[in-house]
Amino acid sequence: MTNLKLEDIDWGTGVLHIRRLKNGSTVDLPLSPSVAKAIAAYIRHGRPSTESRYVFVGHFIPFGPLGVSTIGQRVKCWAERANVHPPYLGVHLFRHSFATYQLERGVPLKLIGDILGHRSTQTTAIYVRSALGRLRQLALPVRSEEIIL
């Protein structure tokens, strides 16, 4: 999202046109009303006045697009304030959280991989490990005499 430009937001149809940095392809994702409202509020009230076409810009001249490292620093800062201590902090945390959340809701691995830009479902399958940990917490114990071989 660091490369999201104003023209990538189709307010009328509620679609985000996301350009992937790694391969230059584009994926169209739905823009929920709550996210649209938040982006609009940022553009109107939080974004510095600039000619830059990037949606998310730094707050110091020359108002260029926010970099991944800047976002990572903000994630760490807010996680510390919230007393959240995941094993890894950074922008990848958003991808990981998204994938795990979708897996837990039964979204097919292929669809999650397509959204994340993975070429192979094996790459997306890495996220299954996190979901399995949560599923184990919900699993009911099975007595050995109930196991049918």
Side-chain angles (χ1 to χ4, degrees):
M1 296 294 267
T2 58
N3 65 335
L4 185 68
K5 292 187 176 180
L6 296 169
E7 54 270 19
D8 297 332
I9 303 171
D10 189 334
W11 300 100
T13 60
V15 174
L16 284 176
H17 306 287
I18 307 295
R19 277 177 276 118
R20 298 206 168 112
L21 295 175
K22 286 185 180 178
N23 62 16
S25 67
T26 302
V27 62
D28 294 340
L29 299 174
L31 177 63
S32 71
S34 61
V35 172
K37 186 176 178 179
I39 292 173
Y42 166 74
I43 291 170
R44 286 191 196 113
H45 308 294
R47 185 175 182 268
S49 179
T50 176
E51 296 295 315
S52 175
R53 301 303 298 162
Y54 290 98
V55 173
F56 303 107
V57 296
H59 284 242
F60 300 103
I61 294 175
F63 304 122
L66 285 181
V68 173
S69 63
T70 302
I71 296 169
Q73 290 169 355
R74 299 312 307 156
V75 169
K76 289 176 185 176
C77 175
W78 287 105
E80 288 172 8
R81 285 185 180 186
N83 201 26
V84 173
H85 306 288
Y88 172 79
L89 268 177
V91 294
H92 189 75
L93 182 65
F94 295 120
R95 292 174 61 83
H96 197 273
S97 296
F98 167 80
T100 303
Y101 179 84
Q102 297 303 322
L103 278 169
E104 290 173 350
R105 274 138 196 85
V107 175
L109 204 58
K110 170 82 170 94
L111 179 57
I112 296 168
D114 289 347
I115 292 169
L116 293 176
H118 294 161
R119 292 185 200 153
S120 163
T121 53
Q122 292 176 339
T123 305
T124 313
I126 293 167
Y127 297 107
V128 172
R129 283 183 261 162
S130 296
L132 285 176
R134 291 184 180 177
L135 287 173
R136 283 189 186 104
Q137 295 172 352
L138 300 173
L140 298 173
V142 177
R143 295 186 308 249
S144 59
E145 61 269 9
E146 294 175 335
I147 299 175
I148 300 172
L149 298 176

